[in-house]
Amino acid sequence: MNYELIDFNVMGDETGSLVAIEGLGNIPFEVKRVYYIYGTTSNAVRGRHAHRNLQQLIFCPVGSCEFTLDDGAERRTVRLQRPNQALYITSNIWREFSGFSHDCVVMVLASEVYNEDDYIRDYEEFLKEVRK
Ligand code: TYD
């Protein structure tokens, strides 16, 4: 399946840690948008959509969270639980986020500005499009 878990270099000393992300530097796209999600309830399921044309890098800088990824052929679950690890996903992957720790913050870097037309929010429609 077309996703990648990327471990970023941690620059730190005894006073703390720092992770730096540079568009077209240590990630393969220019960042046009950043959004973050917090205050999620432990039983919440978010996402439940795919994108037609979007690259995203997803971090859990605080806490942990589970991502179920589906490309229409198979389903995989990955858990983000380290502040320097990110999930890189591109188009045509159905994603669901769940298993939020009480303190979870999900931070997403995206290659495009928000565009509702880029979303596929119906699972049957998603299967139709990826199987074309
Ligand atoms: P949505 O993408 O459905 O959230 P999630 O995938 O976490 O379940 O977005 C929730 C709402 O926020 C929806 O009304 C669209 C809006 N939104 C924006 O206005 N801009 C954005 O960049 C994002 C990601 C969402």
Side-chain angles (χ1 to χ4, degrees), residues 8 21-35 53-57 59 88-90 108-114:
F8 287 91
I21 318 297
E22 283 191 14
L24 297 179
N26 57 356
I27 64 168
F29 60 90
E30 199 124 47
V31 178
K32 289 203 185 150
R33 175 169 53 120
V34 176
Y35 63 92
N53 175 37
L54 188 69
Q55 299 178 72
Q56 287 176 304
L57 194 69
F59 287 88
Y88 172 66
I89 41 176
T90 57
V108 184
L109 279 52
S111 64
E112 302 296 335
V113 296
Y114 177 73

Side-chain angles (χ1 to χ4, degrees), residues 33 35 37 46-49 97 114 116 119 121:
R33 175 169 53 120
Y35 63 92
I37 298 163
R46 298 190 59 110
R48 286 185 164 143
H49 63 254
F97 314 158
Y114 177 73
E116 186 57 37
Y119 280 73
R121 292 194 183 271

Side-chain angles (χ1 to χ4, degrees), residues 3 24 57 63 74 83 92 105 126-127 129:
Y3 74 88
L24 297 179
L57 194 69
E74 57 172 333
N92 297 324
V105 177
F126 163 72
L127 289 180
E129 290 201 20

